[in-house]
Amino acid sequence: MQQQYCAITTNTMIRDFVYNPKASQIVEILQQFGFELSNEEFPFALLRFEILTPDSFMWRLLIDENIYYIYAEDYVSGLDYIKNVFDSYLEDHKWEFVIPSKAITFESASPVVGADIYQEPNDKAEMMKYAADSGHDFVFVIKSSENAGDAQFSDHASRGFNLN
């Protein structure tokens, strides 16, 4: 039997990047995933940011010669859903999850605590191995197998623009 959780809270969210983009918002998330970023103003290159739906967002970053993606969404039905989002977005299955430095429980995650109702996924324990939270959003980070040397050229990016 699946449980539903009810509560109301408000927090700053990575999704605030839509209205007031700051490198610090991304750095905060990356630090939750164990990235030790330098003190420079932009310790990464933001290659793309997209609003996928009104409640889901994707960032593509170049960090230390690797390409990473951050995905944030308020309601996540389970790990298979997240895998499908990355597979579809990257048009590839060659990527790996980055594991957060500090595990959180499903019940204590801010998207669950902040929701009026949240349907518990069947694979919540497995999903939470890869999830962080930011306000009302679950956040997942993956490392892609894309060639970092081509990272800043759109025709080499997943879903990129090709002039040919």
Side-chain angles (χ1 to χ4, degrees), residues 60-123:
R60 181 174 187 250
L61 308 169
L62 177 62
I63 305 169
D64 296 331
E65 302 301 318
N66 292 294
I67 300 172
Y68 294 89
Y69 289 83
I70 299 173
Y71 177 70
E73 184 169 353
D74 62 347
Y75 177 78
V76 175
S77 59
L79 192 58
D80 284 341
Y81 172 78
I82 295 301
K83 290 177 181 178
N84 186 53
V85 167
F86 283 120
D87 286 348
S88 297
Y89 192 85
L90 274 68
E91 298 174 339
D92 194 353
H93 305 294
K94 297 177 184 170
W95 54 266
E96 61 187 58
F97 279 110
V98 177
I99 298 172
S101 314
K102 181 181 175 193
I104 56 174
T105 64
F106 179 79
E107 295 79 8
S108 68
S110 60
V112 176
V113 173
D116 290 332
I117 297 175
Y118 205 110
Q119 188 72 34
E120 182 178 288
N122 291 332
D123 63 350

Side-chain angles (χ1 to χ4, degrees), residues 1-106:
M1 180 175 141
Q2 298 208 352
Q3 296 180 4
Q4 295 181 354
Y5 297 90
C6 300
I8 296 176
T9 64
T10 58
N11 293 331
T12 303
M13 299 180 275
I14 181 96
R15 70 171 56 204
D16 291 342
F17 190 86
V18 172
Y19 308 106
N20 189 13
K22 295 179 184 174
S24 61
Q25 295 158 319
I26 296 170
V27 167
E28 279 182 35
I29 293 300
L30 293 172
Q31 288 173 336
Q32 288 185 56
F33 285 87
F35 287 81
E36 295 183 19
L37 302 172
S38 66
N39 290 330
E40 58 187 281
E41 189 173 348
F42 290 97
F44 56 83
L46 176 60
L47 302 173
R48 181 187 298 148
F49 168 69
E50 286 187 77
I51 302 170
L52 304 179
T53 70
D55 293 312
S56 63
F57 311 88
M58 186 75 75
W59 291 258
R60 181 174 187 250
L61 308 169
L62 177 62
I63 305 169
D64 296 331
E65 302 301 318
N66 292 294
I67 300 172
Y68 294 89
Y69 289 83
I70 299 173
Y71 177 70
E73 184 169 353
D74 62 347
Y75 177 78
V76 175
S77 59
L79 192 58
D80 284 341
Y81 172 78
I82 295 301
K83 290 177 181 178
N84 186 53
V85 167
F86 283 120
D87 286 348
S88 297
Y89 192 85
L90 274 68
E91 298 174 339
D92 194 353
H93 305 294
K94 297 177 184 170
W95 54 266
E96 61 187 58
F97 279 110
V98 177
I99 298 172
S101 314
K102 181 181 175 193
I104 56 174
T105 64
F106 179 79

Side-chain angles (χ1 to χ4, degrees), residues 105-151:
T105 64
F106 179 79
E107 295 79 8
S108 68
S110 60
V112 176
V113 173
D116 290 332
I117 297 175
Y118 205 110
Q119 188 72 34
E120 182 178 288
N122 291 332
D123 63 350
K124 72 175 182 180
E126 186 67 18
M127 182 182 92
M128 296 310 292
K129 290 179 185 177
Y130 307 106
D133 60 357
S134 176
H136 296 292
D137 293 319
F138 278 110
V139 182
F140 300 85
V141 175
I142 60 125
K143 178 181 176 184
S144 81
S145 64
E146 297 170 73
N147 181 347
D150 295 330

